[in-house]
Amino acid sequence: MNKLESIRNFCIIAHIDHGKSTLADRIIQSTNTVGTREFRDQFLDNMELERERGITIKSSAVRINYTAKDKNNYLLNLIDTPGHVDFSYEVSKTIAACEGALLIVDAVQGVEAQTIANLYLAMEHDLKIIPVINKIDLKSARIEEVKSQMRDILGVDDEDVILISAKAGIGTDDVLEAVVKRIPPPVGDSKQPLQALIFDSSYDIYRGVIVYVRIMNGTLKAGMNIKMMNKKSRYEIKEVGVFAPYEQSVELLDCGQVGYMVCNIKDAKEVVVGDTVTDLANPAKKALPGYKTVKPMVYSGIYPVSNEDYENLKSAMEKLRLSDSSFVSEAETSVALGFGFRCGFLGLLHMEIIQERLEREFNLDLIASSPSVNYRIKLHNGELIEVDNPTKYPAKEKIEYIEEPFVKCYIILPAEGVGAIMSLCENKRGEFISTKYLDPTKVQLTYNIPLSEIIVDFYDKIKSSTQGYGSLDYELIGYRKSDIVKLDILINAVSCDALSCLVHREKARRKGKELVEKLRETIPKHLFKIAVQAAVGGDVIARENISALKKHVTGKCYGGDITRKRKLWDKQKEGKKKMRKIGRVDVPKEAFLKAMRIA
């Protein structure tokens, strides 16, 4: 058996919480890749945040040596992937570096929305799919029903399905045997000019950027001079290595293998995920296809609480983009919050994770503005502009019409929850497309819904309405004309641009009322009265007052005429008026966070 025939590159894909990381743990344990002392649960989830939330955020690679039942030794490159819809870009990057995928389905919950989405991603890249049913040891497991779902929805034959319990370690050997028997070895030629696909990267404070590569043709070793084919930049390789599971340097990375390279790259911008690495002396004729450019779905401003941290935030974002190339940012300025960045994310969970990673990993204190989507505005002069920030909203008289993005939502849920979810979708301005019964107990609803309606709390409401069994996947289908207005929040008659947002006219009054009520609760009392207003155009549609802190100025008076007290009260009143004119209202971070949560 030659080197290529003994290599298997595969990933694990599934809906969130169906057992991907647990199966990866069992595979690592059963092949003795890690010693008992070093092992911990969720081994490939390296971030503290992943372990706390129990979700995979970043794809992680590990190299495994496995001796099969046919006595041959195989080199397995396993990549664990996220399951949440917001991190589907991580899955698509991983799939391009593999020849096969383990598709895991929970024996209790059955086929979910993200199961189908990930399957289609894998099929687009012609990956060999190995279907796996997990959690078969649970009392509520519905093995035959789930097999039927997989047969009807995914087109999987019953005899191909592997039954396992990753937690109990049942069926791990069957999975490994299926990997070496069913997944094809990589194709390529070590003698051809080098072509290596960059599928990820990370930053090390001492070694600079660590670039993760999959070798498609040729070999890669320390001392080589290489060129990035898209960026045209050139480097000398200082170190190459593999994940075993920790970084371990090797002499060379051969064709078909997955590993990393270090080139003393200090600037994060120099590395682009999807670029092709080739030999400078003997370059490849063309670059590899790479990845589709990812388009952010949700936009928000991120600002440091202290303006002194602006440069630190800028540097932190560049480093974070190495390990997450799916979020984008550009500098912007806010009257209320100072210097910051306008950032694009794949969804609201993605936005939360990025903000939390910036705060934890780079020790920053941040404020995020209300999330919004990208609107298209046609002006009377014929110009078409894209607006993702309320501050860029043009004057009303210049606008001919506004278009907002729509998504096609696939919601899979238990049959008894159909009424509640249909009502939810109607409230979100949804347009009903179809109902499909996957089996007697499971239904797939399809709706076209404006993206702005689902970015805040839609997923949470699906979960709560279906006792946790509902799941959501969505895809952008285009733009439609809509009656969108700018909702301004005024604090003491001064517009707070960080709290302003673009909303549908029907929802403006309700959202404005909720916003000013939340701000009244969270803005602390000052020495002067504060008026909090919501306005559309020049019309105030909601108002709340925050009363002034009062000092007991008449406490020193005792007995005597009331006129003395009145003089003191009038003097205090004049002072409050003057204070209101020159006083500055401090809006706490909690106010912005609560405003973000209002749909």
Side-chain angles (χ1 to χ4, degrees):
M1 187 186 293
N2 65 38
K3 279 185 181 178
L4 269 182
E5 285 178 0
S6 66
I7 296 173
R8 298 291 184 273
N9 297 315
F10 69 102
C11 58
I12 304 178
I13 56 177
H15 188 80
I16 191 167
D17 203 29
H18 278 209
K20 297 176 299 299
S21 298
T22 312
L23 177 58
D25 284 352
R26 293 299 84 78
I27 289 173
I28 288 167
Q29 279 184 304
S30 67
T31 53
N32 297 317
T33 304
V34 175
T36 311
R37 279 187 172 186
E38 296 173 68
F39 181 78
R40 61 173 197 268
D41 285 341
Q42 286 178 263
F43 188 81
L44 294 179
D45 291 346
N46 298 317
M47 271 185 259
E48 188 184 332
L49 199 54
E50 291 179 308
R51 312 178 74 72
E52 274 179 27
R53 291 188 176 228
I55 59 172
T56 301
I57 295 165
K58 277 284 301 162
S59 297
S60 303
V62 61
R63 175 175 170 148
I64 296 165
N65 291 305
Y66 173 62
T67 305
K69 289 178 181 174
D70 60 10
K71 304 301 181 193
N72 286 318
N73 291 319
Y74 291 89
L75 186 65
L76 311 180
N77 290 307
L78 159 64
I79 308 179
D80 183 23
T81 67
H84 195 282
V85 63
D86 281 12
F87 304 108
S88 55
Y89 186 61
E90 284 289 317
V91 181
S92 66
K93 286 193 308 178
T94 299
I95 281 171
C98 297
E99 281 79 37
L102 298 174
L103 179 72
I104 301 180
V105 178
D106 189 313
V108 178
Q109 297 196 14
V111 173
E112 303 268 22
Q114 204 57 27
T115 315
I116 299 170
N118 287 339
L119 174 73
Y120 288 159
L121 270 177
M123 287 167 68
E124 276 177 30
H125 288 78
D126 295 325
L127 262 62
K128 175 65 183 175
I129 309 294
I130 299 175
V132 178
I133 295 179
N134 189 21
K135 306 185 186 180
I136 58 166
D137 57 330
L138 296 180
K139 287 180 182 177
S140 50
R142 302 177 294 121
I143 296 168
E144 291 309 315
E145 286 177 47
V146 174
K147 268 189 185 179
S148 172
Q149 284 179 12
M150 293 175 82
R151 183 174 63 247
D152 297 342
I153 304 164
L154 310 180
V156 169
D157 294 329
D158 284 5
E159 58 269 19
D160 292 337
V161 177
I162 300 170
L163 304 179
I164 68 162
S165 169
K167 199 162 191 177
I170 300 165
T172 310
D173 291 341
D174 295 337
V175 170
L176 287 165
E177 283 298 311
V179 165
V180 299
K181 284 177 184 171
R182 297 194 212 171
I183 294 175
V187 292
D189 189 347
S190 302
K191 294 172 185 174
Q192 290 289 322
L194 172 66
Q195 280 181 310
L197 176 71
I198 299 176
F199 70 90
D200 213 341
S201 55
S202 62
Y203 189 82
D204 184 281
I205 195 165
Y206 301 109
R207 297 186 292 168
V209 180
I210 298 169
V211 183
Y212 299 0
V213 290
R214 156 75 199 274
I215 314 296
M216 299 298 188
N217 284 303
T219 57
L220 191 68
K221 57 185 174 183
M224 278 178 72
N225 289 310
I226 53 126
K227 180 173 82 169
M228 308 284 195
M229 295 188 78
N230 292 331
K231 290 288 280 185
K232 311 292 184 195
S233 42
R234 303 174 179 192
Y235 307 98
E236 182 188 346
I237 296 181
K238 303 295 181 187
E239 178 190 340
V240 297
V242 295
F243 307 100
Y246 305 109
E247 288 173 10
Q248 180 183 315
S249 61
V250 294
E251 195 176 317
L252 67 83
L253 286 174
D254 210 338
C255 179
Q257 293 186 350
V258 173
Y260 69 89
M261 65 178 192
V262 178
C263 309
N264 283 356
I265 303 171
K266 297 299 180 189
D267 188 354
K269 291 177 183 173
E270 292 179 36
V271 177
V272 176
V273 171
D275 206 344
T276 304
V277 177
T278 193
D279 189 351
L280 189 59
N282 181 25
K285 289 180 180 175
K286 61 178 183 177
L288 296 164
Y291 303 114
K292 282 190 282 190
T293 306
V294 64
K295 187 133 177 90
M297 293 278 204
V298 178
Y299 293 85
S300 174
I302 290 185
Y303 304 86
V305 170
S306 166
N307 277 330
E308 294 169 6
D309 283 336
Y310 175 75
E311 287 299 327
N312 293 337
L313 176 59
K314 184 179 178 182
S315 169
M317 282 190 166
E318 285 178 7
K319 288 170 184 171
L320 191 60
R321 201 173 293 116
L322 282 171
S323 61
D324 187 348
S325 54
S326 58
F327 99 96
V328 295
S329 64
E330 61 177 37
E332 75 165 6
T333 310
S334 160
V335 176
L337 299 172
F339 293 101
F341 293 88
R342 192 72 185 169
C343 302
F345 308 92
L346 298 182
L348 206 71
L349 177 64
H350 187 215
M351 175 181 156
E352 271 181 41
I353 295 295
I354 291 292
Q355 188 180 344
E356 206 161 333
R357 285 186 68 187
L358 286 167
E359 289 182 332
R360 285 189 186 198
E361 295 174 26
F362 302 97
N363 199 25
L364 295 166
D365 201 7
L366 305 174
I367 290 176
S369 65
S370 298
S372 67
V373 299
N374 207 19
Y375 294 95
R376 286 181 185 167
I377 301 178
K378 178 77 180 289
L379 304 179
H380 285 301
N381 64 7
E383 190 183 351
L384 186 69
I385 60 172
E386 292 198 350
V387 172
D388 57 47
N389 188 343
T391 57
K392 295 178 184 174
Y393 189 77
K396 186 181 175 182
E397 58 273 11
K398 291 183 179 179
I399 298 170
E400 185 179 330
Y401 62 81
I402 302 175
E403 293 180 327
E404 68 174 325
F406 268 68
V407 290
K408 182 170 278 188
C409 289
Y410 304 95
I411 306 161
I412 295 180
L413 67 152
E416 60 268 20
V418 169
I421 297 301
M422 289 183 88
S423 174
L424 172 65
C425 292
E426 297 295 330
N427 289 337
K428 296 288 186 182
R429 297 192 283 132
E431 176 189 292
F432 176 75
I433 303 298
S434 67
T435 305
K436 181 181 177 184
Y437 275 80
L438 307 178
D439 66 27
T441 61
K442 204 148 204 176
V443 181
Q444 178 178 290
L445 292 176
T446 308
Y447 270 86
N448 289 343
I449 301 178
L451 178 60
S452 59
E453 295 285 350
I454 71 166
I455 60 172
V456 177
D457 63 348
F458 189 61
Y459 188 66
D460 293 342
K461 283 185 175 174
I462 286 174
K463 283 290 181 191
S464 60
S465 300
T466 58
Q467 291 77 50
Y469 287 107
S471 63
L472 168 73
D473 184 48
Y474 57 84
E475 61 184 3
L476 193 65
I477 56 171
Y479 284 75
R480 296 184 188 179
K481 286 183 184 178
S482 202
D483 189 8
I484 302 296
V485 294
K486 183 184 178 187
L487 178 67
D488 283 309
I489 300 298
L490 310 173
I491 298 176
N492 271 357
V494 177
S495 177
C496 181
D497 55 348
L499 290 169
S500 299
C501 54
L502 301 177
V503 294
H504 194 269
R505 191 179 295 276
E506 286 176 10
K507 303 264 177 127
R509 190 171 296 276
R510 182 188 61 79
K511 182 158 184 175
K513 192 169 184 297
E514 286 184 25
L515 269 170
V516 296
E517 284 173 359
K518 277 278 184 287
L519 291 171
R520 188 199 65 200
E521 292 167 12
T522 49
I523 295 176
K525 287 185 176 184
H526 288 53
L527 290 170
F528 50 91
K529 182 180 172 184
I530 301 168
V532 183
Q533 298 167 306
V536 173
D539 301 327
V540 174
I541 56 173
R543 174 181 174 132
E544 291 285 344
N545 292 322
I546 301 170
S547 58
L549 275 173
K550 289 181 180 175
K551 185 181 176 187
H552 192 18
V553 291
T554 57
K556 59 190 175 185
C557 299
Y558 50 92
D561 194 353
I562 189 71
T563 53
R564 188 176 173 213
K565 288 186 179 181
R566 285 210 177 115
K567 275 182 184 175
L568 287 169
W569 286 331
D570 289 342
K571 191 178 177 184
Q572 185 185 36
K573 201 182 289 181
E574 288 303 311
K576 297 279 185 198
K577 276 184 188 174
K578 188 178 177 184
M579 180 78 79
R580 190 166 187 264
K581 286 178 186 173
I582 63 168
R584 182 173 178 272
V585 181
D586 292 317
V587 182
K589 184 179 177 181
E590 292 72 35
F592 293 99
L593 295 175
K594 287 193 176 180
M596 273 174 55
R597 282 286 170 203
I598 296 173

